[in-house]
């Protein structure tokens, strides 16, 4: 179980390898912001690449932890918020290279990133409505149109990589075996540029956004806490842990 990072040729590469599904507990989410922030300020880093090993990019939060310890919701919320904020506010561009499932917190990572490159088998999903939680729409709204986001949020459905690419959320879709090479090649194009130019460009682009995605996510998290306090939320977590499916209401 690990999250490792390395720096080579001006590219910082952060790799998730947390079996079985790269779903992070609250402690792991609280570590991620420091990792991203420390890499972003290094003068030998011009671009950050986030990718994963295993079955999928990110399974979001560890539902089993939340089922057993619902009192940790505030720590989890803080870890999520600070992770996504660290990615979006990083001095240098951040690229996410995704495969398999991109769920919950994985959406937040991608939505906070500057660019997403996806393997052909990747899909995006916000199953929070079936897990007794809320959150994720603020970051998915950086990637997809409003009504597509709402449809995905209300149904907990999947958005395949090709569909996300068609809607402009993804820079390119590549074969799974070529994902890392394609992502590093894309990052290399960025990394070859002046670091000063990249940091100025990142600040300018963030300032051009019409809404504050971090504030929007904090708004959502208030409803996550409200949902967690309802009995339906615990029923949803229990059903997921016991059967892997959604609770019946």
């Amino acid at each position: 179980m690990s999250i490792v990072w390395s720096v080579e040729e001006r590219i910082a590469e952060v790799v998730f390898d947390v079996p079985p599904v790269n779903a992070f507990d609250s402690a792991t989410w609280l570590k991620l912001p420091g990792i991203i922030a420390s890499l972003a300020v290094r003068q030998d880093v011009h671009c950050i690449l986030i990718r994963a090993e295993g079955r999928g990019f990110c399974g979001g939060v560890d539902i089993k932890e939340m089922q057993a310890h619902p009192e940790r919701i505030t720590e989890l919320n803080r870890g999520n918020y600070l992770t996504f904020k660290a990615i979006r506010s990083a001095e240098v561009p951040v690229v996410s290279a995704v495969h398999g499932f991109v769920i919950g917190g994985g959406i937040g990572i991608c939505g906070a990133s500057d660019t997403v490159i996806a393997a052909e088998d990747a899909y995006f999903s916000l199953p929070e409505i079936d897990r007794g939680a809320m959150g994720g729409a603020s970051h998915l709204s950086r990637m997809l149109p409003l009504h597509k986001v709402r449809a995905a949020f209300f149904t907990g459905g999947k958005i395949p990589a090709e569909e996300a690419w068609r809607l402009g959320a993804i820079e390119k879709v590549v074969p799974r075996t070529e994902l890392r090479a394609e992502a590093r090649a894309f990052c290399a194009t960025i990394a070859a540029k002046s670091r000063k130019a990249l940091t100025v460009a990142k600040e300018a682009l963030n300032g051009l956004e019409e809404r504050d995605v971090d504030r929007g996510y904090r708004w959502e998290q208030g409803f996550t806490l409200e949902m967690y306090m309802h009995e339906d939320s615990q029923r949803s977590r229990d059903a997921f842990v016991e059967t892997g499916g959604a609770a019946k209401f």
Side-chain angles (χ1 to χ4, degrees), residues 16 43 52 82 93 103 119 134-135 139 147 158 165 180 198 213:
F16 303 152
Q43 294 304 298
L82 292 176
I103 297 175
M134 294 288 124
H139 291 91
H147 285 88
K158 301 176 181 179
W165 175 81
R180 182 173 182 267
L198 291 170
V213 66

Side-chain angles (χ1 to χ4, degrees), residues 15-37:
V15 184
F16 303 152
D17 190 6
V18 183
V21 294
N22 285 323
F24 308 148
D25 60 18
S26 54
T28 302
W29 281 111
L30 284 166
K31 290 177 183 176
L32 275 170
I35 294 172
I36 299 297

Side-chain angles (χ1 to χ4, degrees), residues 3-7 12-14 30-48 82-83 85-87 89-92 94 195:
I3 295 176
V4 298
W5 61 95
S6 59
V7 176
E13 189 169 333
V14 179
L30 284 166
K31 290 177 183 176
L32 275 170
I35 294 172
I36 299 297
S38 64
L39 291 171
V41 298
R42 286 180 53 157
Q43 294 304 298
D44 61 338
V45 170
H46 289 208
C47 184
I48 297 174
L82 292 176
T83 295
K85 190 174 187 297
I87 292 170
S89 62
E91 289 185 10
V92 297
V94 179
R195 189 180 192 281

Side-chain angles (χ1 to χ4, degrees), residues 105-178:
I107 297 284
I109 292 170
C110 289
S113 297
D114 296 285
T115 304
V116 179
I117 296 173
E120 293 169 334
D121 67 345
Y123 67 85
F124 302 82
S125 180
L126 285 174
E128 274 80 351
I129 200 163
D130 293 323
R131 303 290 185 266
M134 294 288 124
S138 184
H139 291 91
L140 192 60
S141 294
R142 287 189 92 207
M143 303 172 66
L144 296 167
L146 184 148
H147 285 88
K148 188 67 176 180
V149 172
R150 292 191 175 210
F153 204 94
F154 287 138
T155 64
K158 301 176 181 179
I159 303 169
E162 284 288 348
E163 175 73 356
W165 175 81
R166 185 183 69 82
L167 294 169
I170 293 173
E171 175 65 19
K172 62 170 66 176
V173 179
V174 302
R176 170 76 174 271
T177 56
E178 299 175 18

